[in-house]
Amino acid sequence: MRIVIVGAGVAGCVIARGLSRLPGMDIHCLERVEPGDHAEAGTGLNIGPNAVKALRIQDPELAGIIDDAAFEWTNWRISLTDGTVLFDLPLDDVASENGWRLRWSELYRVLRESAEGLITYGCRIADMGATPEGAGKTWIRWSDSEGDHELTDVDLLIAVDGRFSQTRQTFAGGVNSRQIGVAIFRTLVPDTSDGLITDYQQWFNGPNRLLAYRVPEDHIYIAGTFPIPLDMETPDEMKTAEALRAAYTPVSGYASGQARWLIDTVCAPESELHWARIQESEARYRETGANVLYLGDSSNGMVPTLGQGATQAIEGACAALGEIERLAGDGNFDAGDWLAAIEAVRADRTRFVMEFSLEASDTLLAGSDPVEGTRKKRNPAFQEKLKRLYNDIGTIGAVHSREESAVG
Ligand SMILES: Cc1cc2nc3c(=O)[nH]c(=O)nc-3n(C[C@H](O)[C@H](O)[C@H](O)COP(=O)(O)OP(=O)(O)OC[C@H]3O[C@@H](n4cnc5c(N)ncnc54)[C@H](O)[C@@H]3O)c2cc1C
């Protein structure tokens, strides 16, 4: 079968590597950036226990490689910037695995190395489309340093080209995004905190929130959010050091040692903050007239509140691989059947994760009370949803049968 994978990011590498292990697969993974170019991945990632669980079952070797590049994410603490602790959750209370925290560029490096030989770098995709007479088949044209190329009779086109997916733009006319009225900045800085910042923590001052954790080697990832008017760009005056200091400093003027270090770091003249606005996009799993599969951000851009973007890219790629392995194992090599099966196992799960991520964003919105909002996160109902998020990775074909045989 001829399979083209557009993008060698998180989901692209996992799926390329997994598919290459099946017999009879002709895999072409086309990546826009050059080898070693991680310029778009300059921050840290916390990857949820659900991705770790899915990958350990689907590709334990790859999970082990990420273990070596990451620190374990074992605890989630929420405090006020004056130091009052509101919530302190060991992840093993709600999850069968810990998560990972690491540099995004490191994740790309190990994933791309693990899919070595399958990826063509420096690709500029010129066009792609459905083959008119081709029973779901597609074609794609691109250029790279060696010239222009075309592949026709593509049995399956997998769009893993991120939240601004050219593939989704081409086949579905783009992505409808929805803002939630929250600005976000992110930065990765050398660890000068002298042990103040270690595992995953959040600090609130009203609805304004800082988040930070340590990643290998000796860096701290910091993200900050605050409400902005809906559907407006973040005003420049809210991005200044004075405005940020005011946003995160308690009215009393007293900030805890951790909060002081974070505020001083993001407000330092040399700090480089990358700005965005929190948004989610409408989910889409596949095309029906052509065998196109969407995974990761091209399928379901979600609000980052529960750290589920890359997490779902991994979980979704494992789920897709599980279904493909299950059907191919039964001798079914009809890509249309594969896509229907993948959508069937992903749609409800993705909807739950997107809705829960949005629900958990309540404390970031204008006028919210972090004390009351965080108190709700200690309730059994929220904790049950966390257990579902972190453990229920869906009825994943091969993953499930392996789990059953492991139990048996
Ligand atoms: C600053 C920041 C912090 C984040 N923090 C977290 C976090 O803590 N936890 C978490 O789970 N998620 C986090 N996310 C989200 C996470 O990074 C994404 O959800 C995840 O990378 C999506 O994986 P993906 O495989 O769908 O796409 P990506 O990883 O974005 O990969 C897409 C790939 O496609 C390539 N590409 C794009 N267009 C083309 C094209 N036309 N042709 C060929 N190749 C193309 C890109 O170069 C890239 O390699 C964060 C995102 C940002 C921006």
Tab-separated table of all heavy atoms in Angstrom, residues 6-13 30-33 40 43-48 104 108 112 123-125 128 160-167 186 200 213 221 274 295-299 302 304 306-313, ligand 1:
chain	number	residue	atom	x	y	z
A	6	VAL	N	1.972	13.568	5.688
A	6	VAL	CA	2.401	14.970	5.535
A	6	VAL	C	2.721	15.517	6.920
A	6	VAL	O	1.826	15.766	7.717
A	6	VAL	CB	1.307	15.823	4.850
A	6	VAL	CG1	1.809	17.258	4.668
A	6	VAL	CG2	0.919	15.225	3.514
A	7	GLY	N	4.027	15.687	7.209
A	7	GLY	CA	4.466	16.228	8.496
A	7	GLY	C	5.159	15.170	9.332
A	7	GLY	O	4.630	14.069	9.521
A	8	ALA	N	6.359	15.504	9.809
A	8	ALA	CA	7.088	14.605	10.720
A	8	ALA	C	7.223	15.300	12.061
A	8	ALA	O	8.313	15.583	12.541
A	8	ALA	CB	8.451	14.245	10.144
A	9	GLY	N	6.056	15.635	12.655
A	9	GLY	CA	6.033	16.188	14.010
A	9	GLY	C	5.743	15.049	14.977
A	9	GLY	O	6.215	13.926	14.795
A	10	VAL	N	4.928	15.347	15.987
A	10	VAL	CA	4.687	14.348	17.035
A	10	VAL	C	3.935	13.144	16.474
A	10	VAL	O	4.417	12.004	16.488
A	10	VAL	CB	3.908	14.991	18.215
A	10	VAL	CG1	3.642	13.959	19.291
A	10	VAL	CG2	4.679	16.172	18.783
A	11	ALA	N	2.731	13.393	15.953
A	11	ALA	CA	1.927	12.263	15.459
A	11	ALA	C	2.568	11.629	14.224
A	11	ALA	O	2.541	10.406	14.059
A	11	ALA	CB	0.511	12.745	15.132
A	12	GLY	N	3.157	12.463	13.351
A	12	GLY	CA	3.717	11.959	12.084
A	12	GLY	C	4.806	10.923	12.309
A	12	GLY	O	4.833	9.876	11.642
A	13	CYS	N	5.705	11.205	13.240
A	13	CYS	CA	6.811	10.253	13.479
A	13	CYS	C	6.289	8.958	14.094
A	13	CYS	O	6.737	7.867	13.727
A	13	CYS	CB	7.854	10.881	14.396
A	13	CYS	SG	8.723	12.237	13.633
A	30	LEU	N	6.661	13.289	4.389
A	30	LEU	CA	7.187	14.528	3.816
A	30	LEU	C	7.156	15.631	4.865
A	30	LEU	O	6.082	15.979	5.376
A	30	LEU	CB	6.337	14.946	2.613
A	30	LEU	CG	6.068	13.859	1.559
A	30	LEU	CD1	5.163	14.411	0.449
A	30	LEU	CD2	7.380	13.328	0.982
A	31	GLU	N	8.324	16.166	5.189
A	31	GLU	CA	8.424	17.179	6.258
A	31	GLU	C	8.946	18.491	5.672
A	31	GLU	O	9.898	18.497	4.898
A	31	GLU	CB	9.342	16.668	7.374
A	31	GLU	CG	9.775	17.703	8.393
A	31	GLU	CD	8.615	18.459	9.058
A	31	GLU	OE1	7.671	17.824	9.532
A	31	GLU	OE2	8.667	19.715	9.097
A	32	ARG	N	8.327	19.583	6.115
A	32	ARG	CA	8.671	20.899	5.565
A	32	ARG	C	10.049	21.386	6.003
A	32	ARG	O	10.802	21.932	5.194
A	32	ARG	CB	7.593	21.896	6.023
A	32	ARG	CG	7.767	23.289	5.513
A	32	ARG	CD	6.613	24.161	5.939
A	32	ARG	NE	6.451	24.146	7.400
A	32	ARG	CZ	5.413	24.664	8.038
A	32	ARG	NH1	4.420	25.214	7.368
A	32	ARG	NH2	5.339	24.623	9.352
A	33	VAL	N	10.387	21.195	7.286
A	33	VAL	CA	11.649	21.768	7.777
A	33	VAL	C	12.834	20.887	7.377
A	33	VAL	O	12.668	19.741	6.974
A	33	VAL	CB	11.641	21.985	9.312
A	33	VAL	CG1	10.454	22.837	9.728
A	33	VAL	CG2	11.652	20.663	10.070
A	40	GLU	N	10.666	25.869	15.395
A	40	GLU	CA	9.255	26.079	15.771
A	40	GLU	C	8.910	25.369	17.077
A	40	GLU	O	7.749	25.311	17.463
A	40	GLU	CB	8.348	25.589	14.642
A	40	GLU	CG	8.393	26.509	13.431
A	40	GLU	CD	7.573	25.984	12.265
A	40	GLU	OE1	6.679	25.156	12.491
A	40	GLU	OE2	7.853	26.409	11.142
A	43	THR	N	9.921	25.499	23.109
A	43	THR	CA	9.441	25.549	24.493
A	43	THR	C	9.452	24.163	25.132
A	43	THR	O	10.062	23.240	24.617
A	43	THR	CB	8.008	26.123	24.539
A	43	THR	OG1	7.158	25.247	23.811
A	43	THR	CG2	7.933	27.503	23.938
A	44	GLY	N	8.760	24.049	26.257
A	44	GLY	CA	8.680	22.762	26.945
A	44	GLY	C	7.308	22.138	26.736
A	44	GLY	O	6.359	22.826	26.382
A	45	LEU	N	7.241	20.843	26.966
A	45	LEU	CA	5.960	20.132	26.860
A	45	LEU	C	5.779	19.258	28.097
A	45	LEU	O	6.736	18.619	28.541
A	45	LEU	CB	5.945	19.184	25.660
A	45	LEU	CG	6.013	19.740	24.245
A	45	LEU	CD1	6.044	18.585	23.260
A	45	LEU	CD2	4.820	20.639	23.954
A	46	ASN	N	4.562	19.241	28.632
A	46	ASN	CA	4.233	18.168	29.559
A	46	ASN	C	3.264	17.239	28.840
A	46	ASN	O	2.270	17.674	28.275
A	46	ASN	CB	3.659	18.682	30.882
A	46	ASN	CG	2.411	19.499	30.726
A	46	ASN	OD1	2.416	20.514	30.060
A	46	ASN	ND2	1.330	19.058	31.332
A	47	ILE	N	3.651	15.978	28.809
A	47	ILE	CA	2.871	14.982	28.078
A	47	ILE	C	2.117	14.143	29.099
A	47	ILE	O	2.728	13.632	30.046
A	47	ILE	CB	3.805	14.056	27.266
A	47	ILE	CG1	4.793	14.870	26.444
A	47	ILE	CG2	3.032	13.046	26.448
A	47	ILE	CD1	4.422	15.139	25.056
A	48	GLY	N	0.819	14.003	28.901
A	48	GLY	CA	-0.022	13.367	29.905
A	48	GLY	C	0.158	11.856	29.999
A	48	GLY	O	0.606	11.202	29.058
A	104	TRP	N	10.378	20.520	23.821
A	104	TRP	CA	9.675	20.149	22.603
A	104	TRP	C	10.695	19.750	21.529
A	104	TRP	O	10.532	18.768	20.813
A	104	TRP	CB	8.820	21.333	22.156
A	104	TRP	CG	7.842	21.080	21.070
A	104	TRP	CD1	7.668	19.920	20.362
A	104	TRP	CD2	6.882	22.004	20.567
A	104	TRP	NE1	6.656	20.081	19.450
A	104	TRP	CE2	6.159	21.351	19.566
A	104	TRP	CE3	6.553	23.334	20.871
A	104	TRP	CZ2	5.144	21.975	18.848
A	104	TRP	CZ3	5.540	23.950	20.169
A	104	TRP	CH2	4.845	23.278	19.159
A	108	TYR	N	10.990	16.237	19.392
A	108	TYR	CA	11.125	16.142	17.927
A	108	TYR	C	12.394	15.374	17.557
A	108	TYR	O	12.388	14.534	16.669
A	108	TYR	CB	11.184	17.538	17.307
A	108	TYR	CG	9.831	18.150	16.968
A	108	TYR	CD1	9.767	19.433	16.424
A	108	TYR	CD2	8.643	17.474	17.164
A	108	TYR	CE1	8.547	20.015	16.093
A	108	TYR	CE2	7.425	18.058	16.830
A	108	TYR	CZ	7.378	19.326	16.305
A	108	TYR	OH	6.181	19.896	15.973
A	112	ARG	N	12.084	12.004	15.503
A	112	ARG	CA	12.557	11.996	14.097
A	112	ARG	C	13.682	10.981	13.933
A	112	ARG	O	13.741	10.286	12.910
A	112	ARG	CB	12.964	13.408	13.668
A	112	ARG	CG	11.730	14.290	13.469
A	112	ARG	CD	12.060	15.737	13.184
A	112	ARG	NE	10.810	16.514	13.047
A	112	ARG	CZ	10.736	17.826	13.080
A	112	ARG	NH1	11.818	18.553	13.247
A	112	ARG	NH2	9.567	18.439	12.941
A	123	CYS	N	10.623	19.591	2.311
A	123	CYS	CA	9.615	19.434	1.238
A	123	CYS	C	8.697	20.655	1.177
A	123	CYS	O	8.194	21.100	2.210
A	123	CYS	CB	8.735	18.221	1.510
A	123	CYS	SG	9.632	16.687	1.540
A	124	ARG	N	8.472	21.158	-0.003
A	124	ARG	CA	7.464	22.212	-0.221
A	124	ARG	C	6.331	21.581	-1.001
A	124	ARG	O	6.513	21.214	-2.165
A	124	ARG	CB	8.054	23.360	-1.052
A	124	ARG	CG	9.084	24.172	-0.316
A	124	ARG	CD	8.424	25.231	0.593
A	124	ARG	NE	9.377	25.853	1.510
A	124	ARG	CZ	9.712	25.374	2.714
A	124	ARG	NH1	9.177	24.266	3.172
A	124	ARG	NH2	10.573	26.002	3.483
A	125	ILE	N	5.186	21.430	-0.362
A	125	ILE	CA	4.086	20.758	-1.066
A	125	ILE	C	3.408	21.748	-1.991
A	125	ILE	O	2.952	22.809	-1.558
A	125	ILE	CB	3.114	20.143	-0.055
A	125	ILE	CG1	3.890	19.021	0.636
A	125	ILE	CG2	1.857	19.599	-0.746
A	125	ILE	CD1	3.252	18.354	1.746
A	128	MET	N	-2.106	18.910	-3.874
A	128	MET	CA	-2.548	17.528	-3.642
A	128	MET	C	-4.041	17.485	-3.890
A	128	MET	O	-4.707	18.512	-3.901
A	128	MET	CB	-2.209	17.072	-2.221
A	128	MET	CG	-2.716	17.967	-1.120
A	128	MET	SD	-1.960	17.528	0.458
A	128	MET	CE	-1.653	19.142	1.169
A	160	VAL	N	-0.725	15.081	9.140
A	160	VAL	CA	-0.212	15.321	10.499
A	160	VAL	C	0.654	16.575	10.431
A	160	VAL	O	1.751	16.622	10.980
A	160	VAL	CB	0.570	14.098	11.038
A	160	VAL	CG1	-0.348	13.142	11.758
A	160	VAL	CG2	1.301	13.362	9.931
A	161	ASP	N	0.118	17.571	9.726
A	161	ASP	CA	0.879	18.793	9.478
A	161	ASP	C	0.438	19.942	10.381
A	161	ASP	O	0.555	21.107	10.032
A	161	ASP	CB	0.843	19.189	7.994
A	161	ASP	CG	-0.537	19.128	7.367
A	161	ASP	OD1	-1.475	18.647	8.032
A	161	ASP	OD2	-0.694	19.547	6.218
A	162	GLY	N	-0.063	19.595	11.575
A	162	GLY	CA	-0.229	20.597	12.624
A	162	GLY	C	-1.464	21.465	12.475
A	162	GLY	O	-2.322	21.256	11.625
A	163	ARG	N	-1.510	22.489	13.349
A	163	ARG	CA	-2.769	23.241	13.467
A	163	ARG	C	-3.050	24.147	12.290
A	163	ARG	O	-4.167	24.611	12.129
A	163	ARG	CB	-2.825	23.976	14.790
A	163	ARG	CG	-1.725	24.950	15.007
A	163	ARG	CD	-1.569	25.296	16.468
A	163	ARG	NE	-0.313	25.979	16.669
A	163	ARG	CZ	-0.191	27.126	17.294
A	163	ARG	NH1	-1.247	27.715	17.805
A	163	ARG	NH2	0.980	27.693	17.428
A	164	PHE	N	-2.039	24.454	11.452
A	164	PHE	CA	-2.337	25.247	10.250
A	164	PHE	C	-2.283	24.334	9.022
A	164	PHE	O	-1.763	24.704	7.978
A	164	PHE	CB	-1.353	26.405	10.109
A	164	PHE	CG	-1.311	27.278	11.331
A	164	PHE	CD1	-0.196	27.309	12.152
A	164	PHE	CD2	-2.413	28.036	11.680
A	164	PHE	CE1	-0.165	28.099	13.298
A	164	PHE	CE2	-2.400	28.827	12.825
A	164	PHE	CZ	-1.271	28.854	13.636
A	165	SER	N	-2.802	23.143	9.160
A	165	SER	CA	-2.670	22.063	8.183
A	165	SER	C	-2.997	22.472	6.735
A	165	SER	O	-4.127	22.836	6.412
A	165	SER	CB	-3.600	20.922	8.606
A	165	SER	OG	-3.699	19.960	7.596
A	166	GLN	N	-1.974	22.382	5.890
A	166	GLN	CA	-2.179	22.637	4.453
A	166	GLN	C	-3.098	21.555	3.870
A	166	GLN	O	-3.909	21.816	2.992
A	166	GLN	CB	-0.821	22.623	3.735
A	166	GLN	CG	-0.898	22.948	2.259
A	166	GLN	CD	0.475	22.868	1.574
A	166	GLN	OE1	1.513	22.706	2.220
A	166	GLN	NE2	0.490	22.999	0.254
A	167	THR	N	-2.955	20.344	4.392
A	167	THR	CA	-3.781	19.241	3.882
A	167	THR	C	-5.260	19.494	4.183
A	167	THR	O	-6.120	19.349	3.303
A	167	THR	CB	-3.345	17.908	4.528
A	167	THR	OG1	-1.923	17.861	4.555
A	167	THR	CG2	-3.881	16.725	3.765
A	186	ARG	N	4.821	32.031	26.402
A	186	ARG	CA	5.639	30.887	26.809
A	186	ARG	C	7.097	31.231	26.641
A	186	ARG	O	7.466	31.963	25.718
A	186	ARG	CB	5.330	29.678	25.931
A	186	ARG	CG	4.003	29.023	26.233
A	186	ARG	CD	3.219	28.773	25.001
A	186	ARG	NE	2.233	27.717	25.189
A	186	ARG	CZ	1.219	27.493	24.391
A	186	ARG	NH1	1.030	28.241	23.330
A	186	ARG	NH2	0.378	26.514	24.623
A	200	TYR	N	5.565	19.958	37.852
A	200	TYR	CA	4.511	20.793	37.251
A	200	TYR	C	3.703	21.564	38.310
A	200	TYR	O	3.098	20.951	39.192
A	200	TYR	CB	3.603	19.849	36.480
A	200	TYR	CG	2.469	20.451	35.729
A	200	TYR	CD1	2.633	20.886	34.425
A	200	TYR	CD2	1.200	20.558	36.303
A	200	TYR	CE1	1.568	21.419	33.716
A	200	TYR	CE2	0.141	21.082	35.606
A	200	TYR	CZ	0.332	21.512	34.312
A	200	TYR	OH	-0.705	22.028	33.611
A	213	TYR	N	7.646	24.309	35.028
A	213	TYR	CA	8.268	23.047	35.442
A	213	TYR	C	9.661	22.969	34.839
A	213	TYR	O	9.981	23.672	33.872
A	213	TYR	CB	7.425	21.825	35.041
A	213	TYR	CG	6.952	21.789	33.602
A	213	TYR	CD1	7.732	21.246	32.607
A	213	TYR	CD2	5.701	22.299	33.267
A	213	TYR	CE1	7.282	21.211	31.288
A	213	TYR	CE2	5.248	22.270	31.956
A	213	TYR	CZ	6.040	21.715	30.974
A	213	TYR	OH	5.604	21.690	29.678
A	221	TYR	N	10.612	25.674	31.888
A	221	TYR	CA	9.578	26.143	30.960
A	221	TYR	C	8.585	26.975	31.766
A	221	TYR	O	8.133	26.538	32.838
A	221	TYR	CB	8.883	24.931	30.329
A	221	TYR	CG	7.638	25.279	29.554
A	221	TYR	CD1	7.708	26.080	28.418
A	221	TYR	CD2	6.383	24.808	29.951
A	221	TYR	CE1	6.565	26.409	27.709
A	221	TYR	CE2	5.244	25.120	29.246
A	221	TYR	CZ	5.341	25.928	28.127
A	221	TYR	OH	4.212	26.251	27.422
A	274	HIS	N	7.023	34.226	23.873
A	274	HIS	CA	6.315	33.942	22.619
A	274	HIS	C	4.825	34.010	22.907
A	274	HIS	O	4.325	33.286	23.767
A	274	HIS	CB	6.722	32.558	22.092
A	274	HIS	CG	8.197	32.482	21.862
A	274	HIS	ND1	8.775	32.911	20.697
A	274	HIS	CD2	9.202	32.094	22.673
A	274	HIS	CE1	10.088	32.778	20.800
A	274	HIS	NE2	10.375	32.288	21.987
A	295	LEU	N	-4.799	13.499	12.005
A	295	LEU	CA	-4.384	13.130	13.368
A	295	LEU	C	-3.685	14.321	14.018
A	295	LEU	O	-3.096	15.149	13.320
A	295	LEU	CB	-3.394	11.961	13.335
A	295	LEU	CG	-3.919	10.562	13.006
A	295	LEU	CD1	-2.756	9.588	12.869
A	295	LEU	CD2	-4.900	10.075	14.075
A	296	GLY	N	-3.680	14.355	15.346
A	296	GLY	CA	-2.994	15.441	16.052
A	296	GLY	C	-3.715	16.759	15.828
A	296	GLY	O	-4.939	16.809	15.664
A	297	ASP	N	-2.956	17.848	15.828
A	297	ASP	CA	-3.552	19.187	15.748
A	297	ASP	C	-4.322	19.420	14.452
A	297	ASP	O	-5.216	20.258	14.413
A	297	ASP	CB	-2.458	20.261	15.853
A	297	ASP	CG	-2.042	20.515	17.298
A	297	ASP	OD1	-2.539	19.812	18.196
A	297	ASP	OD2	-1.218	21.419	17.514
A	298	SER	N	-3.977	18.737	13.375
A	298	SER	CA	-4.732	18.952	12.126
A	298	SER	C	-6.143	18.410	12.302
A	298	SER	O	-7.067	18.847	11.625
A	298	SER	CB	-4.045	18.269	10.938
A	298	SER	OG	-4.290	16.879	10.956
A	299	SER	N	-6.315	17.470	13.226
A	299	SER	CA	-7.633	16.887	13.479
A	299	SER	C	-8.358	17.627	14.595
A	299	SER	O	-9.544	17.902	14.497
A	299	SER	CB	-7.468	15.410	13.874
A	299	SER	OG	-8.650	14.911	14.441
A	302	MET	N	-6.710	21.724	20.406
A	302	MET	CA	-7.474	21.896	21.645
A	302	MET	C	-6.838	22.941	22.558
A	302	MET	O	-5.655	23.248	22.412
A	302	MET	CB	-7.661	20.574	22.368
A	302	MET	CG	-6.444	19.741	22.574
A	302	MET	SD	-6.938	18.158	23.281
A	302	MET	CE	-7.700	17.317	21.912
A	304	PRO	N	-4.904	24.443	25.590
A	304	PRO	CA	-3.760	23.743	26.179
A	304	PRO	C	-3.866	23.471	27.674
A	304	PRO	O	-2.925	22.966	28.276
A	304	PRO	CB	-2.601	24.717	25.902
A	304	PRO	CG	-3.236	26.067	25.872
A	304	PRO	CD	-4.623	25.867	25.328
A	306	LEU	N	-5.041	21.359	29.812
A	306	LEU	CA	-4.687	20.076	30.440
A	306	LEU	C	-3.489	19.421	29.757
A	306	LEU	O	-3.241	18.228	29.942
A	306	LEU	CB	-5.899	19.130	30.440
A	306	LEU	CG	-7.044	19.560	31.376
A	306	LEU	CD1	-8.288	18.711	31.144
A	306	LEU	CD2	-6.623	19.482	32.842
A	307	GLY	N	-2.752	20.194	28.948
A	307	GLY	CA	-1.549	19.657	28.305
A	307	GLY	C	-1.865	18.473	27.402
A	307	GLY	O	-1.153	17.470	27.403
A	308	GLN	N	-2.942	18.594	26.612
A	308	GLN	CA	-3.370	17.431	25.830
A	308	GLN	C	-3.068	17.552	24.333
A	308	GLN	O	-3.448	16.671	23.569
A	308	GLN	CB	-4.871	17.192	26.036
A	308	GLN	CG	-5.175	16.589	27.401
A	308	GLN	CD	-4.722	15.137	27.516
A	308	GLN	OE1	-4.988	14.322	26.643
A	308	GLN	NE2	-4.032	14.800	28.597
A	309	GLY	N	-2.365	18.604	23.880
A	309	GLY	CA	-2.105	18.738	22.434
A	309	GLY	C	-1.187	17.642	21.923
A	309	GLY	O	-1.590	16.785	21.110
A	310	ALA	N	0.052	17.645	22.382
A	310	ALA	CA	0.993	16.601	21.972
A	310	ALA	C	0.557	15.254	22.539
A	310	ALA	O	0.761	14.202	21.919
A	310	ALA	CB	2.396	16.955	22.459
A	311	THR	N	-0.069	15.307	23.706
A	311	THR	CA	-0.546	14.078	24.346
A	311	THR	C	-1.547	13.362	23.438
A	311	THR	O	-1.448	12.156	23.195
A	311	THR	CB	-1.206	14.435	25.704
A	311	THR	OG1	-0.260	15.158	26.483
A	311	THR	CG2	-1.651	13.209	26.452
A	312	GLN	N	-2.503	14.140	22.917
A	312	GLN	CA	-3.489	13.530	22.019
A	312	GLN	C	-2.871	13.157	20.675
A	312	GLN	O	-3.327	12.214	20.019
A	312	GLN	CB	-4.681	14.462	21.813
A	312	GLN	CG	-5.628	14.497	22.994
A	312	GLN	CD	-6.190	13.111	23.332
A	312	GLN	OE1	-6.709	12.404	22.468
A	312	GLN	NE2	-6.072	12.707	24.587
A	313	ALA	N	-1.846	13.893	20.245
A	313	ALA	CA	-1.174	13.521	18.988
A	313	ALA	C	-0.584	12.115	19.132
A	313	ALA	O	-0.688	11.280	18.223
A	313	ALA	CB	-0.095	14.546	18.636
B	1	LIG	C1	4.287	26.857	22.859
B	1	LIG	C2	3.505	25.585	22.904
B	1	LIG	C3	3.499	24.803	24.085
B	1	LIG	C4	2.787	23.597	24.100
B	1	LIG	N1	2.746	22.858	25.257
B	1	LIG	C5	2.157	21.629	25.239
B	1	LIG	C6	2.205	20.775	26.386
B	1	LIG	O1	2.750	21.132	27.425
B	1	LIG	N2	1.633	19.549	26.308
B	1	LIG	C7	1.028	19.095	25.175
B	1	LIG	O2	0.539	17.953	25.147
B	1	LIG	N3	0.931	19.900	24.086
B	1	LIG	C8	1.486	21.135	24.092
B	1	LIG	N4	1.435	21.948	22.990
B	1	LIG	C9	0.708	21.472	21.812
B	1	LIG	C10	1.565	20.510	21.019
B	1	LIG	O3	2.824	21.050	20.730
B	1	LIG	C11	0.869	20.161	19.737
B	1	LIG	O4	-0.458	19.798	20.057
B	1	LIG	C12	1.539	18.985	19.064
B	1	LIG	O5	2.848	19.345	18.641
B	1	LIG	C13	0.699	18.523	17.885
B	1	LIG	O6	1.354	17.461	17.261
B	1	LIG	P1	1.119	17.221	15.723
B	1	LIG	O7	1.911	16.011	15.383
B	1	LIG	O8	-0.307	17.260	15.393
B	1	LIG	O9	1.725	18.493	15.005
B	1	LIG	P2	3.163	19.131	15.132
B	1	LIG	O10	3.953	18.545	16.227
B	1	LIG	O11	2.934	20.601	15.079
B	1	LIG	O12	3.861	18.655	13.782
B	1	LIG	C14	3.469	19.101	12.528
B	1	LIG	C15	4.627	18.827	11.593
B	1	LIG	O13	4.198	19.064	10.261
B	1	LIG	C16	5.169	19.864	9.610
B	1	LIG	N5	4.441	20.602	8.566
B	1	LIG	C17	3.564	21.608	8.721
B	1	LIG	N6	3.076	21.995	7.536
B	1	LIG	C18	3.654	21.187	6.618
B	1	LIG	C19	3.544	21.092	5.198
B	1	LIG	N7	2.744	21.883	4.505
B	1	LIG	N8	4.280	20.163	4.579
B	1	LIG	C20	5.111	19.334	5.260
B	1	LIG	N9	5.255	19.388	6.613
B	1	LIG	C21	4.515	20.298	7.266
B	1	LIG	C22	5.749	20.741	10.698
B	1	LIG	O14	7.030	21.255	10.347
B	1	LIG	C23	5.829	19.736	11.849
B	1	LIG	O15	6.992	18.980	11.837
B	1	LIG	C24	2.101	23.161	22.950
B	1	LIG	C25	2.091	23.968	21.789
B	1	LIG	C26	2.771	25.174	21.780
B	1	LIG	C27	2.718	26.033	20.533
